[in-house]
């Protein structure tokens, strides 16, 4: 019996038929195709006006400053807290290190929730949780309560930074994401610089509790902005939803087979008995005819456009799709993490991202100590010097993001008209934009350390901090965009996993920073970091060189294990 074709971009009511005419179409098996990257959805966020999109970028970018402020705004008040709450240095260290590790690990949970309830619900709940932690911290009478509330703050503030990147993936095409990631990440990049300045002013003008009241007010304003936020999440572009839909289609296919088996017409029974669900890889060019969807297991596999193809009676399709509902099993944080880690390109890029993030924490933490101990600066003066680092980060984020998109667009244009495997790998080429900044990062990192070691004029420190921040974030924003582009349908999980890895390394870097600084001095410590950032550069080059093949092989293995290449 000839197979009719029906294309379903995974919108429950958005069914489009191809060559299905007349009553016979009801009896013929059809194919359902789910395009995860460019699925047609109701109120598509990518078709919103640019004004609305930019407003969303501003909202989430400003809200990300909660993350940056929360980490260090109260650092200038450490002495007051130690005296007022009778705390030990070890207890005060816990308020920073626990904040760092929880802030890195909790996004995995927020990511899972966002795949059930959408982005908006996560923003509202997480910021409310952060506000609660700030209020209780501001009124705490013991260091134990303060430590506990810092953990609550960390859990609440961690969502925006990770889910924000997924939100940008919801509303922007890949060719725009580098620029938007750069703009989005520029505001939180100022947090480590502006935090100590605000903390110093608030502590000197009032007391240490004022820093937490400021965070409460700031979080409240962000919360109000998200009340009017239109959710950008569309379940049809989520792997979790597609998995749930595939499960429903398989169940319906089995029902159809069972019903056909009871039919009195032998030839129809034979045909229907073979009805099964088949999911095969798709392509960006799925308008080339029905032959394009009949791939073998050896066909090229990509999740840029993942196609689920099911042979079902046409009347069963609509009801099957309506029954697809996400469960906690579908969005468990463990499964997505394992799948993300199964791809070698992800593991390598996470390692490079972790080095960049850890160096950021180590630098801002030890720079404050150096300026206080060697240059005898107070909290406000220290914050002003660190502002040079923040300005470098902002410029690096914005300019690096734009340059990343420039490279992306240039490579994509170069591949037009060539074979699908070549065109499919152009997101890897986004990493070429980091090559320009790679030599600058280790060189400026080492130079910063020895400028501090030799107690050179503070202007030299400002210059080195600016260069480190500029090169560091220029590279990081491109790797962040790459993580989103190379994990289509799992961008939220991939960013959350990246946050988890970098949070752990930042925790370790924070804990060992002072002992290493005391033992090696700034020159030795940042010569070490210079070497580590050179390793970071080499890891990114490795992903640029091998990442495309690693990713394709991993996707093919995933498809094979899940039965997604089974023949109809």
């Amino acid at each position: 019996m000839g197979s009719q074709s029906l294309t379903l971009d995974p919108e429950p009511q958005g069914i489009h038929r191809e060559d299905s005419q007349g009553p016979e179409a009801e009896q013929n098996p059809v194919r359902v195709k789910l395009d995860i990257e460019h699925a047609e959805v109701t109120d598509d966020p990518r078709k919103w006006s640019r004004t609305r999109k930019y407003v969303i970028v501003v909202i989430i970018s400003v809200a990300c400053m909660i993350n940056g402020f929360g980490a260090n705004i109260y650092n200038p008040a450490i002495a007051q807290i130690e005296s007022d709450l009778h705390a030990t240095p070890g207890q005060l260290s816990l308020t920073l290190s626990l904040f760092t590790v929880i802030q890195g690990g909790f996004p995995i949970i927020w990511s899972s929730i966002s795949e059930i309830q959408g982005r908006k619900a996560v923003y509202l709940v997480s910021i409310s949780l952060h506000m609660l932690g700030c209020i209780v911290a501001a009124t705490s009478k013991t260091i134990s309560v303060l430590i506990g509330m810092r953990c609550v703050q960390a859990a609440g503030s961690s969502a925006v930074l990770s889910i924000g990147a997924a939100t940008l993936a919801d509303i922007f095409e890949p060719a725009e994401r580098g620029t938007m990631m750069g703009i989005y990440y520029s505001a939180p990049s100022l947090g480590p610089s502006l935090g100590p300045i605000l903390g110093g002013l608030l502590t000197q003008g009032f007391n240490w509790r004022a820093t937490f009241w400021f965070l409460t007010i700031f979080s409240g304003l962000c919360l109000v902005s998200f009340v009017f936020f239109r959710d950008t999440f569309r379940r049809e572009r989520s792997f979790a939803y597609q998995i749930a839909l595939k499960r429903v289609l398989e169940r319906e296919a089995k029902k159809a087979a069972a019903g056909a088996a009871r039919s009195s017409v032998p030839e129809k029974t034979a045909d229907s008995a073979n009805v099964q669900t088949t999911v095969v890889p798709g392509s960006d060019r799925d308008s080339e005819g029905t032959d394009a969807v009949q791939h073998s297991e050896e066909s090229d596999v990509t999740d840029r456009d993942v196609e689920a193809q099911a042979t079902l009676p046409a009347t069963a399709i609509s009801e099957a799709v309506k029954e697809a509902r996400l469960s906690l099993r579908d969005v468990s944080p463990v499964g997505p993490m394992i799948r993300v880690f199964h791809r070698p390109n992800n593991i390598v890029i996470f390692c490079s991202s972790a080095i960049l993030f850890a160096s950021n924490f180590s630098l801002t933490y030890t720079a404050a100590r150096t300026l206080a101990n060697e240059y005898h600066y107070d909290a406000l003066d220290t914050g002003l010097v660190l502002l040079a680092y923040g300005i470098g980060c902002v410029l690096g984020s914005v300019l690096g993001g734009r340059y990343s998109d420039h490279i992306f667009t240039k490579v994509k244009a170069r591949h037009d008209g060539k074979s699908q495997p070549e065109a499919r790998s152009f997101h890897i080429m986004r990493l070429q934009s980091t090559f320009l900044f790679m030599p600058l990062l280790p060189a400026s990192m080492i130079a910063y350390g020895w400028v501090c070691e030799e107690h050179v004029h503070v202007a030299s420190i400002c210059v080195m901090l600016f260069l480190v921040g500029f090169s560091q974030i220029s590279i990081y924003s491109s790797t962040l965009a790459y993580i989103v582009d190379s994990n289509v349908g799992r961008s939220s999980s991939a960013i959350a996993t990246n946050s988890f890895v970098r949070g752990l390394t930042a925790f370790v870097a924070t804990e060992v920073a002072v002992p290493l600084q005391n033992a090696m001095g700034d020159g030795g410590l940042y010569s070490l970091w210079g070497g580590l950032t050179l390793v970071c550069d080499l890891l990114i080059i490795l992903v640029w060189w091998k990442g495309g093949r690693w990713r394709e092989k991993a996707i093919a293995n995933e498809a094979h294990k899940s039965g997604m290449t089974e023949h109809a």
Side-chain angles (χ1 to χ4, degrees), residues 330-341:
D330 295 316
V331 292
S332 167
V334 178
M337 277 189 69
I338 292 174
R339 286 190 287 271
V340 167
F341 275 125

Side-chain angles (χ1 to χ4, degrees), residues 308-332:
Q309 314 223 354
T311 52
L312 279 176
T315 52
I317 297 296
S318 181
E319 290 302 317
V321 172
K322 288 180 181 178
E323 289 183 22
R325 294 291 183 270
L326 294 182
S327 64
L328 289 176
R329 182 188 68 179
D330 295 316
V331 292
S332 167

Side-chain angles (χ1 to χ4, degrees), residues 370-387:
T370 297
L371 293 169
N373 298 334
E374 305 299 335
Y375 289 80
H376 309 293
Y377 281 8
D378 60 20
L380 183 58
D381 290 335
T382 297
L384 290 172
V385 173
L386 288 175
L387 190 58

Side-chain angles (χ1 to χ4, degrees), residues 209-265:
R209 299 180 189 275
T211 60
F212 291 108
W213 288 121
F214 171 83
L215 288 174
T216 301
I217 296 170
F218 185 76
S219 300
L221 294 175
C222 292
L223 185 65
V224 170
S225 70
F226 278 111
V227 170
F228 303 99
F229 178 85
R230 180 176 292 186
D231 205 337
T232 63
F233 176 70
R234 298 294 180 267
R235 64 179 187 171
E236 294 82 7
R237 290 174 177 167
S238 164
F239 262 119
Y241 169 76
Q242 290 205 18
I243 290 171
L245 181 57
K246 178 177 178 285
R247 188 178 63 246
V248 171
L249 292 177
E250 286 176 337
R251 185 173 67 245
E252 292 302 314
K254 290 177 181 178
K255 289 181 181 178
R262 293 190 293 270
S263 173
S264 60
V265 182

Side-chain angles (χ1 to χ4, degrees), residues 108-121:
I108 296 171
I109 297 176
W110 292 128
S111 171
S112 298
I113 296 174
S114 76
E115 296 295 324
I116 305 175
Q117 300 296 336
R119 317 296 189 207
K120 181 176 180 176

Side-chain angles (χ1 to χ4, degrees), residues 3 9 21 27 81 101 126 139 143 148 186 279 300 304 353 405 424 432 462 472 474 482 492 514 520 547:
S3 173
D9 286 333
Q21 305 288 339
Q27 304 299 325
I81 297 174
V101 72
S126 64
T139 58
I143 187 62
S186 61
V279 182
D300 291 324
R304 175 165 296 279
S353 172
D405 277 349
R424 193 166 60 233
Q432 284 182 205
C462 291
Q472 196 177 59
S474 295
Y482 167 78
S492 176
V514 173
M520 306 170 66

